[in-house]
Amino acid sequence: MYKKLFDHLPDRLMAEINNKLTSEDLLEEIRIRVNRQAYMICGGRNVLLDVVISELEMQDILRSVSRNSLYAFKDSISMGYITLDLGIRVGVVGRASTADGKGWGVYDVSEMAIRVPNKLFNVNCDEILQIIDHGSTLIFAPPGVGKTTLLRIITQKVSSGEHGKRTCVIDTRNELGYGLSKKDTLVTILSSYPRKLGIEIAVRTMNAQIIVCDEIGDDKDAAAIIEAQGAGIPIIASCHGSSIKDILSHKGIRDLHRAGIFSNYVKISRGDALDFKYEIYSWEEANGYI
């Protein structure tokens, strides 16, 4: 995993990361900033690094992560990210070029947020696995808590073993599917598919028993999920939010709730490491926040 990062980042930055990273640390994210100290996120902690990236170095890193073809990544860059191999996502911010309120490109890149996916399939998620058997489940938390990592763990568990289920992962940003292509699982990964199209294919073509998708919320997502639920296929999904009231303030999630799609809502939190804690709300409990 880290070898992939070595290929793109300055040697002095990687040396500093390795110097500060202990065997007990879980590297989650690297932040590099023009003319400012870089830092990393380990187990939820922010750790400053004694390295300052120059503007020229930032341009070299951008060329490297885009494989010397920024045009090939123009669509994702306009949405603020580039996805590398192994599900490594690079958030890109700088001076935006916009039209009609939509991003068309990012220039003078000033900061990158490199999210490092982790395979932690030994994390206990038995509480969630039990409620999945009773209907669709929506997992929510603020950014950076570990929703994507938890979805990977759940997908690994529900698609494995004697009672494994045919599980379709809609990996719109080529991030969620990292580490799930094992030969003994019943996982199908739909990489780079728009979420609506991916869900439709999972239902009509792949005969999925479970569909997993990350960071839902808009009206198109809601329409596709309602159709999938009409076919009787449970959905395990995630969205951003710090509370039930927060997530139900988004029209797409509110439409899904009113359609009775999710039997349960799961708020996740954690301490310094990936020791997830869960607060589970039934549909009826969540309905009190409408």
Side-chain angles (χ1 to χ4, degrees):
M1 165 63 70
Y2 296 159
K3 174 62 171 63
K4 292 290 183 180
L5 296 179
F6 272 113
D7 292 341
H8 300 293
L9 301 181
D11 292 343
R12 64 193 182 93
L13 175 58
M14 293 308 301
E16 173 69 359
I17 290 172
N18 286 330
N19 182 50
K20 290 278 182 75
L21 201 63
T22 72
S23 59
E24 297 179 354
D25 283 328
L26 180 71
L27 179 60
E28 299 174 53
E29 196 167 311
I30 301 169
R31 293 288 185 96
I32 53 178
R33 308 179 291 173
V34 172
N35 297 327
R36 302 172 69 193
Q37 278 184 260
Y39 66 96
M40 61 183 179
I41 302 173
C42 302
R45 296 181 298 112
N46 299 317
V47 181
L48 272 173
L49 303 170
D50 295 325
V51 172
V52 175
I53 297 297
S54 68
E55 185 175 342
L56 182 59
E57 285 177 309
M58 182 67 88
Q59 292 172 1
D60 288 340
I61 295 168
L62 183 60
R63 279 193 291 268
S64 179
V65 298
S66 64
R67 304 180 186 94
N68 291 308
S69 179
L70 283 173
Y71 182 80
F73 292 89
K74 65 181 181 65
D75 291 339
S76 67
I77 288 177
S78 69
M79 298 176 65
Y81 70 92
I82 295 173
T83 304
L84 307 180
D85 295 337
L86 301 181
I88 300 171
R89 189 174 75 178
V90 181
V92 180
V93 296
R95 183 168 58 88
S97 172
T98 63
D100 298 326
K102 297 180 180 179
W104 288 95
V106 177
Y107 305 93
D108 299 334
V109 171
S110 58
E111 186 167 345
M112 289 185 185
I114 303 171
R115 293 180 63 179
V116 182
N118 291 285
K119 295 184 291 185
L120 298 169
F121 298 134
N122 60 334
V123 170
N124 189 337
C125 58
D126 290 346
E127 291 179 82
I128 298 179
L129 294 176
Q130 291 172 7
I131 63 174
I132 284 172
D133 287 336
H134 303 289
S136 293
T137 300
L138 181 64
I139 296 168
F140 68 93
V145 173
K147 297 183 296 296
T148 300
T149 297
L150 182 58
L151 281 179
R152 290 193 196 102
I153 297 166
I154 292 169
T155 300
Q156 173 77 9
K157 291 181 180 294
V158 299
S159 64
S160 303
E162 182 180 356
H163 301 292
K165 296 181 180 180
R166 299 185 302 277
T167 305
C168 278
V169 174
I170 317 303
D171 193 4
T172 302
R173 297 180 302 194
N174 295 318
E175 179 183 14
L176 178 56
Y178 167 64
L180 294 176
S181 299
K182 294 189 175 183
K183 62 183 180 181
D184 59 345
T185 63
L186 304 181
V187 174
T188 298
I189 300 173
L190 284 76
S191 299
S192 299
Y193 283 76
R195 201 169 286 109
K196 181 178 185 299
L197 176 61
I199 291 173
E200 290 172 353
I201 291 174
V203 172
R204 298 174 183 173
T205 304
M206 301 310 299
N207 191 23
Q209 291 177 298
I210 293 179
I211 295 173
V212 180
C213 52
D214 205 2
E215 297 186 10
I216 66 168
D218 65 22
D219 292 348
K220 291 181 180 179
D221 294 343
I225 290 172
I226 289 171
E227 182 175 345
Q229 192 70 73
I233 302 173
I235 298 278
I236 306 171
S238 71
C239 73
H240 292 311
S242 58
S243 66
I244 287 286
K245 184 177 181 179
D246 186 10
I247 64 173
L248 291 177
S249 69
H250 300 289
K251 184 179 182 303
I253 302 299
R254 194 164 61 249
D255 289 346
L256 290 168
H257 176 79
R258 286 173 171 160
I261 299 301
F262 295 111
S263 300
N264 290 283
Y265 298 83
V266 180
K267 177 182 177 179
I268 65 170
S269 58
R270 62 184 175 92
D272 290 339
L274 280 175
D275 53 339
F276 289 109
K277 298 179 181 178
Y278 312 111
E279 295 178 37
I280 300 174
Y281 302 83
S282 67
W283 183 92
E284 290 79 9
E285 289 172 319
N287 198 50
Y289 292 86
I290 289 289

